[in-house]
Structures are given as C-alpha cells and as structure tokens.
C-alpha cells in the first residue's frame, strides 16, 4: 500500500494522520524525542532537546499530541517539535 492509499483510507475512516518533524506517521502509544528546547507554560520548567516522551496519545488534531511527563499534567506538544523514537 502506498502512502497516498494509506492517506485516502485514513481520510475515509475519519482518522487524522499525525506526522512528526521528519514525516514519520505517529500512533497512540509511540515514544517521541524532542528536537528543540521547549518552555512549558505554567510549569516553570523547560523540556530539553533529546528528552524522550513515552506513550503519547493522539488528540484528533493533525498537529497536537497529548502526553505525560513527570511533574507536568496535561502536557500537549506540537508534532513539529518531536521525532519518533
């Protein structure tokens, strides 16, 4: 199955394709690595480049992923700042 066929099947099923910074397709439960230092609003903390985030969840938006990290509740990251591990 080609990439265009997979995209057509996902669109027909009502699912959103979420791709990381280099174009890899992300799915629920994947682990991702940050490609940039990110300041976390409200937490007073900075997540450093290379930090591994485990067990992500897709939100239904093609650019946002929901995840957990120690000490930060309700962390939502943009897909453009992560790379699949």
């Amino acid at each position: 199955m080609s990439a265009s066929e997979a995209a057509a099947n996902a669109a027909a099923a009502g699912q959103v394709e979420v791709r990381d910074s280099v174009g890899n397709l992300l799915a629920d439960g994947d682990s991702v690595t940050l490609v940039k230092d990110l300041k976390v609003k409200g937490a007073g903390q900075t997540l450093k480049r290379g930090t591994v985030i485990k067990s992500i969840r897709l939100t239904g938006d093609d650019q946002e992923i929901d995840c957990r990290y120690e000490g930060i509740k309700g962390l939502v990251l943009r897909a453009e700042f992560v790379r699949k591990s």
Side-chain angles (χ1 to χ4, degrees):
M1 180 183 306
S2 71
S4 61
E5 289 173 350
N9 289 341
Q15 298 173 345
V16 177
E17 280 191 350
V18 180
R19 297 196 176 266
D20 66 2
S21 61
V22 293
N24 295 323
L25 191 60
L26 296 174
D28 285 338
D30 284 346
S31 293
V32 295
T33 304
L34 296 179
V35 296
K36 178 181 176 180
D37 289 354
L38 299 173
K39 292 182 183 176
V40 181
K41 293 181 181 179
Q45 192 174 5
T46 300
L47 295 176
K48 299 291 183 181
R49 181 175 157 230
T51 301
V52 176
I53 306 290
K54 297 179 183 177
S55 195
I56 65 168
R57 290 179 305 280
L58 304 181
T59 62
D61 184 342
D62 66 342
Q63 280 298 307
E64 292 183 349
I65 56 174
D66 188 30
C67 49
R68 287 186 176 178
Y69 189 73
E70 57 187 58
I72 304 173
K73 288 185 178 181
L75 181 63
V76 177
L77 296 174
R78 302 273 303 169
E80 63 191 286
F81 299 123
V82 299
R83 177 177 40 92
K84 190 172 181 177
S85 298

